[in-house]
Amino acid sequence: MARKRKRKSRRRQEGRKILELVPQYSIESGEDKPVTAARKYIRDLGIQPPALLIVKRNEHTTDRYFWAEKGLFGAQYVEENHFLFPSLREFQPLVPPKTPAVAGSTR
């Protein structure tokens, strides 16, 4: 039986493209939980936000975290809500402002 493909959110796709432009760090969690390993790595290296951390849990599983001014967030949440993060504004493509439609003058 064929499976129906899940619809891809445009907002999430845009967020994913923006996160690709942010500095990325790949680490292994070791004995720590993935989020703890990410926090220790940030502290030890003094990483400045914004940054994306890819934490390998085991040979099959990786977790992705976004380091922002306000803390550590799951990358999927940031993809969907990238407009809430001021540090990502510099990575967003410029959108030309919309010009208001001018009605024709009648004389």
Side-chain angles (χ1 to χ4, degrees), residues 7-100:
R7 185 181 156 272
K8 292 188 178 182
S9 162
R10 283 192 180 147
R11 190 166 76 178
R12 183 158 178 215
Q13 285 178 326
E14 183 182 339
R16 184 174 282 262
K17 288 178 187 175
I18 292 169
L19 283 184
E20 287 175 1
L21 303 173
V22 172
Q24 297 184 13
Y25 301 88
S26 295
I27 62 172
E28 292 192 19
S29 64
E31 295 294 317
D32 295 324
K33 292 182 180 180
V35 71
T36 305
R39 289 184 187 281
K40 285 182 179 179
Y41 189 79
I42 290 166
R43 184 193 62 218
D44 294 344
L45 269 66
I47 297 172
Q48 295 298 312
L52 187 67
L53 284 95
I54 301 163
V55 183
K56 191 168 184 175
R57 221 190 292 180
N58 56 42
E59 62 183 274
H60 304 291
T61 311
T62 57
D63 294 314
R64 297 169 47 238
Y65 299 101
F66 178 72
W67 175 234
E69 293 85 2
K70 296 183 178 181
L72 198 60
F73 296 86
Q76 183 175 341
Y77 173 80
V78 177
E79 287 173 357
E80 294 169 358
N81 300 289
H82 56 88
F83 49 87
L84 297 175
F85 295 88
S87 61
L88 290 178
R89 290 202 179 109
E90 65 183 80
F91 297 100
Q92 292 179 1
L94 294 175
V95 179
K98 294 182 181 180
T99 55

